[in-house]
Amino acid sequence: MKLKFQLFIATVFLSVGCPDASAAMEDQTPLNFVFILVDDLGKKDMSIEGSQFHETPNIDSIGRRALRFERGYSACQVCSPSRAAIQTGKTPARLGITDYISLNGGNQPQKWRRNTKLLPASYASELPLKELTIAEALKQNGYTTFFAGKWHLGGDGFTPSEQGYDVNVGGYHFGTPPGGYHSPYRNPKLSDDAPGAELPIRLGKETAAFIESSAKENQPFFAMLSFYSVHGPIQCSESRFKKYQAKAETLGLVARTDPRFLLDRTQEVRQVQDHPIYAGMMEAMDDSVGFVLKAIEKSGVAENTVVIFTSDNGGVSSGDGYATSCLPMRGGKGRQWEGGIRQPYYISWPGVTIGGTTQVLATGMDFYPTILEMAGIAPNDNQKIDGISLVPVLKGKKIPERPLFWHYPHYGNQGGEPSAMMMAGDMKLIYYLEDGRSELYDVAKDIGEQNNLAESYPAKVASMLNAIKEWQGNVGARNPAPNPNYDPQNYARSMQQKQQRGMPNREKQHAAFLNSDYKPKGGWWDQRKSPKIVD
């Protein structure tokens, strides 16, 4: 009885007389983590970020509780490298995964057939098993782990199941959903639903069920909901299309006469958010997020569950579905400008974050050490981590400024050019690997990257370029080589055709999406029994 009384007095003292110690006691409860990763989501695609066309109430609710990193960046402008960085805390160049992993290796130098000045650098085709993933680090410390959706870091032998995840729902080598966004899914890691059922809804419900089960067992968990959405193919149900087609009419977007596309150096770029099918995809994805958030509340774990929300790269304003606009940022997925790498970057930590924004630089490699520190787990002594913990920032403290680096020795399907980049404060240097030219931008004053300052600040360019090259050497970055088959005359002709024929055809195609009687080839996807396989 005496021991119990002493413990009681100590508890009262700690909880009443010493608030900091009380907080420390509360921190003894293990945190859960829900990591929501969207594919090809633009920073400006959500209502909370200013979109007037897309509707994202559930994502917005995360953002209102989170600290939103206004200068949060993906580790690459395309998917697989960014995903590898999130899983390991390492920069893609160090991992050797610097481009999206193609099933047939068509973007490897030995199979390259495009008419470009350079042959792209070679890269790894899966995330090595020797890498310690965030799931493995947490699992070693008592967490149960779950993955749902897009993996794109390797197939048999390299799936989430071999990389620390206890449960894998749909994660395989696919970069795009093999059966589209409606059942049958044609995914060996995902059973089918009734024909026409929506893939994002299924993934959200699977994640919700895992959260509820883990909470019931009082088991700390890490759940990664990694959407295939909103990557192409651009598909939604007929009812969702009708909603946003009507909204476009109400907003006067159907009668728009200004061009929807602008040719920016190598590719046409969408300038407006008015794609009703893409908006339907956004809504389906947001509805899925809603199932997850409801499960957190229903299970009674809301007070000790961290919710993270981000994207693997910028929105697809060029190439693929040409589905969204990243304005006022320049470019989008696959491109070296802000639209390709600046992302929604939300971390909601109950009792710590209360909403608001920060201008602190953050990148995809930072999630790993941040989660480990939140969980009270020390990194492996032998493990190289390129990111830093953002916990001090989340708690309202300052951290030392540091530069960010990128290395993309490839040609993006969306018009991106082989380049390396450095961000130092507000100054961003883009170094082009084709010809050694540089662009320097003050992204705080010029988020659209229209005013190249390289000639005005040659010493700054030289200093940043030296830093890039030193960093490239430290991480073992691979570089492209000259393409002996490059034909400049053919390239000039192809660009002329894009301007004269491609642009008008693109305008016509996207205007047709807004017709009230629009129907996709073969009918609406939720009414099909056998969706077309998309490679």
Side-chain angles (χ1 to χ4, degrees), residues 254-284:
V254 174
R256 176 186 174 91
T257 57
D258 294 338
R260 284 183 175 83
F261 293 92
L262 169 72
L263 186 64
D264 191 354
R265 192 174 293 169
T266 60
Q267 197 89 5
E268 59 268 49
V269 182
R270 186 176 251 276
Q271 302 294 296
V272 61
Q273 292 182 353
D274 70 352
H275 196 315
I277 305 174
Y278 183 78
M281 290 183 73
M282 287 287 299
E283 182 180 75

mmCIF file of all heavy atoms in Angstrom, residues 254-284:
data_model
loop_
_atom_site.group_PDB
_atom_site.id
_atom_site.type_symbol
_atom_site.label_atom_id
_atom_site.label_comp_id
_atom_site.label_asym_id
_atom_site.label_seq_id
_atom_site.Cartn_x
_atom_site.Cartn_y
_atom_site.Cartn_z
ATOM 1 N N VAL A 254 -16.704 26.064 -69.436
ATOM 2 C CA VAL A 254 -17.043 25.410 -70.702
ATOM 3 C C VAL A 254 -16.953 26.400 -71.850
ATOM 4 O O VAL A 254 -16.536 26.052 -72.964
ATOM 5 C CB VAL A 254 -18.459 24.795 -70.615
ATOM 6 C CG1 VAL A 254 -18.873 24.232 -71.975
ATOM 7 C CG2 VAL A 254 -18.497 23.691 -69.561
ATOM 8 N N ALA A 255 -17.306 27.643 -71.579
ATOM 9 C CA ALA A 255 -17.292 28.673 -72.631
ATOM 10 C C ALA A 255 -15.933 29.355 -72.762
ATOM 11 O O ALA A 255 -15.798 30.349 -73.473
ATOM 12 C CB ALA A 255 -18.366 29.717 -72.328
ATOM 13 N N ARG A 256 -14.933 28.819 -72.082
ATOM 14 C CA ARG A 256 -13.588 29.421 -72.101
ATOM 15 C C ARG A 256 -13.082 29.544 -73.542
ATOM 16 O O ARG A 256 -13.166 28.587 -74.322
ATOM 17 C CB ARG A 256 -12.645 28.562 -71.268
ATOM 18 C CG ARG A 256 -11.186 29.026 -71.273
ATOM 19 C CD ARG A 256 -10.318 28.017 -70.527
ATOM 20 N NE ARG A 256 -8.912 28.364 -70.637
ATOM 21 C CZ ARG A 256 -8.262 29.120 -69.777
ATOM 22 N NH1 ARG A 256 -8.903 29.626 -68.742
ATOM 23 N NH2 ARG A 256 -6.976 29.385 -69.953
ATOM 24 N N THR A 257 -12.500 30.695 -73.864
ATOM 25 C CA THR A 257 -11.937 30.901 -75.203
ATOM 26 C C THR A 257 -10.413 30.990 -75.182
ATOM 27 O O THR A 257 -9.771 30.796 -76.212
ATOM 28 C CB THR A 257 -12.497 32.190 -75.835
ATOM 29 O OG1 THR A 257 -12.224 33.295 -74.975
ATOM 30 C CG2 THR A 257 -13.999 32.057 -76.051
ATOM 31 N N ASP A 258 -9.833 31.275 -74.015
ATOM 32 C CA ASP A 258 -8.378 31.318 -73.917
ATOM 33 C C ASP A 258 -7.806 29.911 -74.085
ATOM 34 O O ASP A 258 -8.449 28.920 -73.707
ATOM 35 C CB ASP A 258 -7.945 31.871 -72.556
ATOM 36 C CG ASP A 258 -8.322 33.328 -72.376
ATOM 37 O OD1 ASP A 258 -8.530 34.003 -73.410
ATOM 38 O OD2 ASP A 258 -8.414 33.781 -71.219
ATOM 39 N N PRO A 259 -6.616 29.780 -74.622
ATOM 40 C CA PRO A 259 -6.001 28.452 -74.790
ATOM 41 C C PRO A 259 -5.811 27.752 -73.445
ATOM 42 O O PRO A 259 -5.478 28.395 -72.436
ATOM 43 C CB PRO A 259 -4.646 28.761 -75.436
ATOM 44 C CG PRO A 259 -4.797 30.114 -76.044
ATOM 45 C CD PRO A 259 -5.762 30.856 -75.174
ATOM 46 N N ARG A 260 -6.057 26.472 -73.427
ATOM 47 C CA ARG A 260 -5.809 25.689 -72.215
ATOM 48 C C ARG A 260 -4.347 25.294 -72.092
ATOM 49 O O ARG A 260 -3.905 24.901 -71.008
ATOM 50 C CB ARG A 260 -6.673 24.419 -72.230
ATOM 51 C CG ARG A 260 -8.121 24.672 -71.901
ATOM 52 C CD ARG A 260 -8.936 23.395 -71.855
ATOM 53 N NE ARG A 260 -10.288 23.718 -71.409
ATOM 54 C CZ ARG A 260 -11.244 24.178 -72.210
ATOM 55 N NH1 ARG A 260 -10.986 24.361 -73.497
ATOM 56 N NH2 ARG A 260 -12.429 24.465 -71.725
ATOM 57 N N PHE A 261 -3.604 25.369 -73.192
ATOM 58 C CA PHE A 261 -2.227 24.881 -73.198
ATOM 59 C C PHE A 261 -1.265 25.937 -73.729
ATOM 60 O O PHE A 261 -1.599 26.724 -74.612
ATOM 61 C CB PHE A 261 -2.118 23.609 -74.045
ATOM 62 C CG PHE A 261 -2.852 22.441 -73.457
ATOM 63 C CD1 PHE A 261 -4.175 22.187 -73.808
ATOM 64 C CD2 PHE A 261 -2.241 21.621 -72.524
ATOM 65 C CE1 PHE A 261 -4.864 21.127 -73.245
ATOM 66 C CE2 PHE A 261 -2.932 20.558 -71.957
ATOM 67 C CZ PHE A 261 -4.236 20.308 -72.320
ATOM 68 N N LEU A 262 -0.067 25.896 -73.153
ATOM 69 C CA LEU A 262 1.031 26.750 -73.572
ATOM 70 C C LEU A 262 2.231 25.860 -73.846
ATOM 71 O O LEU A 262 2.539 24.972 -73.039
ATOM 72 C CB LEU A 262 1.367 27.751 -72.465
ATOM 73 C CG LEU A 262 2.665 28.552 -72.626
ATOM 74 C CD1 LEU A 262 2.499 29.593 -73.732
ATOM 75 C CD2 LEU A 262 3.035 29.231 -71.302
ATOM 76 N N LEU A 263 2.909 26.071 -74.960
ATOM 77 C CA LEU A 263 4.110 25.289 -75.259
ATOM 78 C C LEU A 263 5.274 25.883 -74.472
ATOM 79 O O LEU A 263 5.672 27.021 -74.709
ATOM 80 C CB LEU A 263 4.407 25.307 -76.760
ATOM 81 C CG LEU A 263 5.571 24.403 -77.207
ATOM 82 C CD1 LEU A 263 5.252 22.938 -76.946
ATOM 83 C CD2 LEU A 263 5.873 24.616 -78.687
ATOM 84 N N ASP A 264 5.783 25.131 -73.543
ATOM 85 C CA ASP A 264 6.896 25.589 -72.720
ATOM 86 C C ASP A 264 8.130 24.747 -73.017
ATOM 87 O O ASP A 264 8.288 23.636 -72.510
ATOM 88 C CB ASP A 264 6.536 25.497 -71.238
ATOM 89 C CG ASP A 264 7.555 26.203 -70.348
ATOM 90 O OD1 ASP A 264 8.584 26.655 -70.866
ATOM 91 O OD2 ASP A 264 7.303 26.297 -69.126
ATOM 92 N N ARG A 265 8.944 25.239 -73.884
ATOM 93 C CA ARG A 265 10.220 24.674 -74.295
ATOM 94 C C ARG A 265 10.087 23.330 -75.005
ATOM 95 O O ARG A 265 10.343 23.235 -76.191
ATOM 96 C CB ARG A 265 11.177 24.551 -73.111
ATOM 97 C CG ARG A 265 12.621 24.236 -73.566
ATOM 98 C CD ARG A 265 13.582 24.247 -72.412
ATOM 99 N NE ARG A 265 13.716 25.590 -71.860
ATOM 100 C CZ ARG A 265 14.309 25.881 -70.732
ATOM 101 N NH1 ARG A 265 14.815 24.911 -69.987
ATOM 102 N NH2 ARG A 265 14.396 27.119 -70.315
ATOM 103 N N THR A 266 9.690 22.287 -74.326
ATOM 104 C CA THR A 266 9.677 20.958 -74.951
ATOM 105 C C THR A 266 8.301 20.321 -75.030
ATOM 106 O O THR A 266 8.132 19.328 -75.727
ATOM 107 C CB THR A 266 10.587 19.995 -74.166
ATOM 108 O OG1 THR A 266 10.098 19.902 -72.809
ATOM 109 C CG2 THR A 266 12.030 20.456 -74.158
ATOM 110 N N GLN A 267 7.316 20.858 -74.312
ATOM 111 C CA GLN A 267 6.028 20.171 -74.212
ATOM 112 C C GLN A 267 4.925 21.186 -73.940
ATOM 113 O O GLN A 267 5.160 22.245 -73.347
ATOM 114 C CB GLN A 267 6.088 19.164 -73.061
ATOM 115 C CG GLN A 267 4.998 18.110 -73.086
ATOM 116 C CD GLN A 267 5.381 16.889 -73.876
ATOM 117 O OE1 GLN A 267 6.502 16.777 -74.347
ATOM 118 N NE2 GLN A 267 4.453 15.971 -74.040
ATOM 119 N N GLU A 268 3.712 20.860 -74.387
ATOM 120 C CA GLU A 268 2.578 21.704 -74.063
ATOM 121 C C GLU A 268 2.207 21.511 -72.594
ATOM 122 O O GLU A 268 2.298 20.401 -72.061
ATOM 123 C CB GLU A 268 1.379 21.412 -74.967
ATOM 124 C CG GLU A 268 0.854 19.996 -74.946
ATOM 125 C CD GLU A 268 1.477 19.103 -76.012
ATOM 126 O OE1 GLU A 268 2.711 19.086 -76.124
ATOM 127 O OE2 GLU A 268 0.721 18.385 -76.696
ATOM 128 N N VAL A 269 1.777 22.591 -71.942
ATOM 129 C CA VAL A 269 1.513 22.594 -70.505
ATOM 130 C C VAL A 269 0.128 23.155 -70.238
ATOM 131 O O VAL A 269 -0.225 24.233 -70.725
ATOM 132 C CB VAL A 269 2.566 23.445 -69.753
ATOM 133 C CG1 VAL A 269 2.305 23.392 -68.248
ATOM 134 C CG2 VAL A 269 3.976 22.971 -70.068
ATOM 135 N N ARG A 270 -0.647 22.445 -69.453
ATOM 136 C CA ARG A 270 -2.008 22.875 -69.124
ATOM 137 C C ARG A 270 -1.986 24.110 -68.230
ATOM 138 O O ARG A 270 -1.191 24.190 -67.283
ATOM 139 C CB ARG A 270 -2.748 21.727 -68.430
ATOM 140 C CG ARG A 270 -4.213 21.996 -68.155
ATOM 141 C CD ARG A 270 -4.873 20.770 -67.553
ATOM 142 N NE ARG A 270 -5.777 20.129 -68.483
ATOM 143 C CZ ARG A 270 -7.026 20.493 -68.667
ATOM 144 N NH1 ARG A 270 -7.507 21.524 -68.006
ATOM 145 N NH2 ARG A 270 -7.801 19.856 -69.514
ATOM 146 N N GLN A 271 -2.874 25.062 -68.521
ATOM 147 C CA GLN A 271 -2.904 26.340 -67.831
ATOM 148 C C GLN A 271 -4.143 26.544 -66.958
ATOM 149 O O GLN A 271 -4.264 27.594 -66.312
ATOM 150 C CB GLN A 271 -2.843 27.476 -68.863
ATOM 151 C CG GLN A 271 -1.624 27.439 -69.762
ATOM 152 C CD GLN A 271 -0.338 27.685 -69.000
ATOM 153 O OE1 GLN A 271 -0.133 28.755 -68.448
ATOM 154 N NE2 GLN A 271 0.534 26.685 -68.978
ATOM 155 N N VAL A 272 -5.043 25.584 -66.925
ATOM 156 C CA VAL A 272 -6.288 25.774 -66.176
ATOM 157 C C VAL A 272 -6.745 24.440 -65.602
ATOM 158 O O VAL A 272 -6.524 23.379 -66.188
ATOM 159 C CB VAL A 272 -7.389 26.368 -67.091
ATOM 160 C CG1 VAL A 272 -7.705 25.437 -68.252
ATOM 161 C CG2 VAL A 272 -8.664 26.669 -66.303
ATOM 162 N N GLN A 273 -7.363 24.487 -64.437
ATOM 163 C CA GLN A 273 -7.983 23.302 -63.838
ATOM 164 C C GLN A 273 -9.456 23.282 -64.223
ATOM 165 O O GLN A 273 -10.263 24.019 -63.649
ATOM 166 C CB GLN A 273 -7.836 23.336 -62.312
ATOM 167 C CG GLN A 273 -6.403 23.158 -61.824
ATOM 168 C CD GLN A 273 -6.290 23.155 -60.311
ATOM 169 O OE1 GLN A 273 -7.264 23.411 -59.598
ATOM 170 N NE2 GLN A 273 -5.100 22.874 -59.798
ATOM 171 N N ASP A 274 -9.779 22.467 -65.227
ATOM 172 C CA ASP A 274 -11.184 22.354 -65.634
ATOM 173 C C ASP A 274 -11.492 20.969 -66.198
ATOM 174 O O ASP A 274 -12.478 20.798 -66.916
ATOM 175 C CB ASP A 274 -11.538 23.444 -66.656
ATOM 176 C CG ASP A 274 -10.863 23.231 -68.018
ATOM 177 O OD1 ASP A 274 -10.001 22.325 -68.147
ATOM 178 O OD2 ASP A 274 -11.208 23.966 -68.966
ATOM 179 N N HIS A 275 -10.668 19.965 -65.868
ATOM 180 C CA HIS A 275 -10.849 18.623 -66.410
ATOM 181 C C HIS A 275 -11.851 17.876 -65.533
ATOM 182 O O HIS A 275 -11.527 17.468 -64.413
ATOM 183 C CB HIS A 275 -9.504 17.899 -66.411
ATOM 184 C CG HIS A 275 -9.450 16.680 -67.276
ATOM 185 N ND1 HIS A 275 -10.445 15.728 -67.304
ATOM 186 C CD2 HIS A 275 -8.497 16.251 -68.149
ATOM 187 C CE1 HIS A 275 -10.111 14.766 -68.151
ATOM 188 N NE2 HIS A 275 -8.933 15.065 -68.679
ATOM 189 N N PRO A 276 -13.087 17.656 -65.992
ATOM 190 C CA PRO A 276 -14.115 17.079 -65.124
ATOM 191 C C PRO A 276 -13.843 15.631 -64.728
ATOM 192 O O PRO A 276 -14.252 15.200 -63.643
ATOM 193 C CB PRO A 276 -15.396 17.198 -65.958
ATOM 194 C CG PRO A 276 -14.919 17.259 -67.381
ATOM 195 C CD PRO A 276 -13.615 17.975 -67.341
ATOM 196 N N ILE A 277 -13.152 14.880 -65.583
ATOM 197 C CA ILE A 277 -12.854 13.489 -65.234
ATOM 198 C C ILE A 277 -11.769 13.447 -64.163
ATOM 199 O O ILE A 277 -11.846 12.680 -63.195
ATOM 200 C CB ILE A 277 -12.444 12.693 -66.482
ATOM 201 C CG1 ILE A 277 -13.516 12.814 -67.562
ATOM 202 C CG2 ILE A 277 -12.223 11.212 -66.131
ATOM 203 C CD1 ILE A 277 -13.138 12.179 -68.893
ATOM 204 N N TYR A 278 -10.768 14.288 -64.317
ATOM 205 C CA TYR A 278 -9.723 14.366 -63.291
ATOM 206 C C TYR A 278 -10.312 14.836 -61.964
ATOM 207 O O TYR A 278 -9.950 14.319 -60.891
ATOM 208 C CB TYR A 278 -8.621 15.316 -63.753
ATOM 209 C CG TYR A 278 -7.462 15.424 -62.801
ATOM 210 C CD1 TYR A 278 -6.486 14.426 -62.740
ATOM 211 C CD2 TYR A 278 -7.326 16.531 -61.964
ATOM 212 C CE1 TYR A 278 -5.413 14.532 -61.868
ATOM 213 C CE2 TYR A 278 -6.258 16.644 -61.093
ATOM 214 C CZ TYR A 278 -5.300 15.638 -61.050
ATOM 215 O OH TYR A 278 -4.241 15.749 -60.186
ATOM 216 N N ALA A 279 -11.203 15.801 -62.008
ATOM 217 C CA ALA A 279 -11.853 16.264 -60.778
ATOM 218 C C ALA A 279 -12.625 15.131 -60.113
ATOM 219 O O ALA A 279 -12.658 15.024 -58.880
ATOM 220 C CB ALA A 279 -12.788 17.435 -61.084
ATOM 221 N N GLY A 280 -13.240 14.272 -60.927
ATOM 222 C CA GLY A 280 -13.918 13.091 -60.384
ATOM 223 C C GLY A 280 -12.946 12.137 -59.724
ATOM 224 O O GLY A 280 -13.244 11.541 -58.680
ATOM 225 N N MET A 281 -11.762 11.971 -60.315
ATOM 226 C CA MET A 281 -10.722 11.140 -59.700
ATOM 227 C C MET A 281 -10.289 11.740 -58.364
ATOM 228 O O MET A 281 -10.080 11.014 -57.381
ATOM 229 C CB MET A 281 -9.503 11.044 -60.619
ATOM 230 C CG MET A 281 -9.699 10.232 -61.868
ATOM 231 S SD MET A 281 -8.161 10.132 -62.817
ATOM 232 C CE MET A 281 -7.191 9.010 -61.807
ATOM 233 N N MET A 282 -10.130 13.045 -58.329
ATOM 234 C CA MET A 282 -9.752 13.721 -57.094
ATOM 235 C C MET A 282 -10.799 13.466 -56.012
ATOM 236 O O MET A 282 -10.467 13.192 -54.850
ATOM 237 C CB MET A 282 -9.609 15.223 -57.342
ATOM 238 C CG MET A 282 -8.382 15.636 -58.117
ATOM 239 S SD MET A 282 -6.855 15.501 -57.152
ATOM 240 C CE MET A 282 -7.194 16.635 -55.803
ATOM 241 N N GLU A 283 -12.060 13.539 -56.380
ATOM 242 C CA GLU A 283 -13.130 13.334 -55.407
ATOM 243 C C GLU A 283 -13.123 11.905 -54.875
ATOM 244 O O GLU A 283 -13.287 11.678 -53.663
ATOM 245 C CB GLU A 283 -14.478 13.655 -56.039
ATOM 246 C CG GLU A 283 -15.637 13.517 -55.066
ATOM 247 C CD GLU A 283 -16.969 13.843 -55.707
ATOM 248 O OE1 GLU A 283 -17.470 13.005 -56.485
ATOM 249 O OE2 GLU A 283 -17.489 14.939 -55.429
ATOM 250 N N ALA A 284 -12.926 10.919 -55.752
ATOM 251 C CA ALA A 284 -12.892 9.520 -55.319
ATOM 252 C C ALA A 284 -11.734 9.294 -54.347
ATOM 253 O O ALA A 284 -11.882 8.600 -53.334
ATOM 254 C CB ALA A 284 -12.768 8.591 -56.533
#
